[in-house]
Amino acid sequence: MDNQALTKLVQNISQEKFQRPFKHQAIFNSRLRTTGGRYHLADHHIDINPKILTYYGQAELIGVIIHELCHYHLHLTGQPYQHQSQAFRRLLAQTGGSRYAPPLPKTNHQQKVEVYQCRQCQRKYFRQRKLNLDRYACGRCGGKLTHIATYRQSKNKVS
Ligand SMILES: [Zn+2]
Ligand SMILES: [Zn+2]
């Protein structure tokens, strides 16, 4: 997915969830490290961390986009747009945006995360500890899990 396709996706989500147009740019910004996305007050563009798509897929990407669109539309309509504001919380709940971005792999950090994936439905699981794979199964479909990676990372906020 390139920036043009990303912007198109943001436009579609904006119409569908907010019934308002998104008239600015959405950009994959790989310099974002600990955040999933960022709305820029000055020029109204939205940065999205490409790792969200790489590691979690489309559903998680949409959650992050909705979160940023909550900032966007509240700001542009002159309402309180900060996380703490009631307007933001209400709109986020109505539209189903992510409150927090999922953990993203980040090098040079202490915390380790073990990544497992269901062999049947491909759902990913992130755990601090190694799992005994004879005892754990996928919470969604009951399939067997496979260990696919070990990440070092920190907690991420959506901002
Ligand atoms: Zn599964
Ligand atoms: Zn935010």
Side-chain angles (χ1 to χ4, degrees):
M1 190 185 285
D2 61 10
N3 289 334
Q4 204 182 341
L6 177 66
T7 299
K8 184 84 193 134
L9 179 64
V10 175
Q11 286 168 347
N12 291 343
I13 294 169
S14 183
Q15 277 304 340
E16 188 188 320
K17 297 283 183 183
F18 299 84
Q19 289 81 47
R20 286 174 178 278
F22 175 70
K23 296 177 178 170
H24 297 83
Q25 292 296 309
I27 296 164
F28 279 120
N29 184 348
S30 48
R31 281 168 303 172
L32 289 181
R33 292 172 67 84
T34 58
T35 51
R38 179 166 289 157
Y39 165 62
H40 293 259
L41 299 172
D43 67 0
H44 314 293
H45 85 268
I46 288 175
D47 275 343
I48 295 292
N49 190 331
K51 286 184 204 157
I52 294 281
L53 188 59
T54 309
Y55 292 105
Y56 290 92
Q58 185 102 344
E60 202 69 53
L61 175 67
I62 289 170
V64 171
I65 289 172
I66 293 173
H67 177 111
E68 301 309 326
L69 281 173
C70 287
H71 288 303
Y72 176 86
H73 288 299
L74 289 170
H75 180 235
L76 286 179
T77 53
Q79 298 177 72
Y81 55 82
Q82 295 91 343
H83 291 150
Q84 328 72 275
S85 74
Q86 217 181 42
F88 182 85
R89 290 183 188 190
R90 201 186 307 126
L91 189 58
L92 191 69
Q94 276 170 10
T95 52
S98 303
R99 290 183 65 186
Y100 300 100
L104 294 168
K106 185 183 164 197
T107 47
N108 76 22
H109 197 276
Q110 327 303 343
Q111 203 178 3
K112 256 172 52 175
V113 170
E114 307 296 340
V115 188
Y116 298 89
Q117 186 168 29
C118 174
R119 289 186 208 172
Q120 250 168 246
C121 73
Q122 318 304 319
R123 183 179 191 162
K124 284 182 184 171
Y125 292 87
F126 297 79
R127 293 291 179 271
Q128 304 292 335
R129 291 176 303 149
K130 291 227 173 195
L131 294 180
N132 178 348
L133 296 181
D134 294 331
R135 292 179 48 200
Y136 286 87
C138 174
R140 183 159 67 185
C141 76
K144 278 189 177 291
L145 302 183
T146 310
H147 183 255
I148 57 169
T150 301
Y151 293 150
R152 296 179 177 278
Q153 55 91 51
S154 64
K155 277 213 170 112
N156 296 276
K157 279 189 193 160
V158 184
S159 68

